[in-house]
Amino acid sequence: MNHPLIIFIDYIGTFAFAISGAVAAQQRRLDIFGIIVIAFVTACTGGVVRDLCIGALPPVSLSQWPYLVISVLAVLISVAASRWIQKLTYPVLFFDAIGLSFFAIFGAYKTLLFTSNTELAILLGITSAVGGGVIRDVLLNRVPVILHKDIYATAALLGAVLLVLGELANLPLLLTSCVAAGACFVIRMLSLHRNWKLPSFPYHRNPPKN
């Protein structure tokens, strides 16, 4: 895990998710402590679950100081620049999409290093990407994004699959990471702007019996 690119990807994903958590917390008018808590939880929960599953203990986001520092820095930036951030069409979802993209590939890559299991790498790549957002929304009394019909976990799935395929094909890590993260981000943002939805199925109640 000492590859500079992978460490950079992890830190950028942490920062982006912390921003999304901080903005969401500000929208709920939490105090500064609450904002920091939500930002840190959003940035780190998915990675904690991943590390517990692969036996990478203690979880890196809880045992290394940069993750807390990055989360606090994200809070300070989001508070200072809140006027400009709120001008974005989807401020929470925009930064969430960035974090989703980077964590999907980081989670898949780290799992491959620990287990060499491609199926598990894809599953934990998705878990890394969506876990923090789910906890954020639950704590803020919002319906988790993953439970909407939006293309969310599907985008993370695409990113994780592309990363795993690139590793299996021994492609350069930089190329694989850019393609996988880019595809995940583009699909997620297009789904928001073009209102792409996963199919849903109507629920038909049985007529009451006389």
Side-chain angles (χ1 to χ4, degrees):
M1 292 300 298
N2 292 325
H3 197 294
L5 176 61
I6 289 300
I7 295 174
F8 175 78
I9 287 173
D10 191 24
Y11 287 168
I12 291 297
T14 299
F15 180 80
F17 263 137
I19 287 280
S20 78
V23 173
Q26 290 176 68
Q27 291 175 348
R28 293 294 190 183
R29 300 188 181 279
L30 272 62
D31 61 19
I32 188 63
F33 179 77
I35 295 172
I36 292 173
V37 169
I38 295 297
F40 183 75
V41 166
T42 305
C44 298
T45 302
V48 169
V49 174
R50 176 202 63 232
D51 288 352
L52 291 174
C53 289
I54 63 177
L57 302 176
V60 64
S61 58
L62 299 181
S63 61
Q64 295 188 12
W65 61 266
Y67 295 89
L68 179 58
V69 171
I70 290 171
S71 298
V72 173
L73 179 62
V75 168
L76 296 177
I77 291 175
S78 68
V79 170
S82 60
R83 181 178 301 178
W84 295 275
I85 291 176
Q86 293 298 338
K87 290 181 180 179
L88 296 172
T89 305
Y90 307 101
V92 175
L93 296 181
F94 173 76
F95 289 103
D96 188 80
I98 297 175
L100 185 83
S101 306
F102 281 97
F103 270 16
I105 62 175
F106 177 79
Y109 183 84
K110 185 171 184 178
T111 304
L112 280 178
L113 289 182
F114 274 79
T115 69
S116 299
N117 185 314
T118 56
E119 293 84 359
L120 185 62
I122 293 171
L123 289 175
L124 291 183
I126 298 171
T127 300
S128 299
V130 306
V134 170
I135 301 301
R136 174 200 64 211
D137 292 342
V138 169
L139 291 176
L140 295 177
N141 196 28
R142 297 155 37 128
V143 177
V145 178
I146 194 174
L147 298 182
H148 290 292
K149 293 184 292 183
D150 294 349
I151 296 176
Y152 185 69
T154 308
L157 169 64
L158 175 62
V161 168
L162 290 176
L163 187 283
V164 169
L165 291 177
E167 286 297 295
L168 292 177
N170 291 319
L171 296 177
L173 181 58
L174 177 60
L175 173 63
T176 301
S177 300
C178 290
V179 171
C184 179
F185 180 78
V186 168
I187 291 297
R188 175 60 181 149
M189 295 308 297
L190 282 177
S191 73
L192 291 173
H193 286 283
R194 300 191 177 183
N195 200 31
W196 291 348
K197 305 286 186 181
L198 293 175
S200 60
F201 303 94
Y203 172 70
H204 298 290
R205 294 184 60 185
N206 293 325
K209 296 181 179 179
N210 296 328

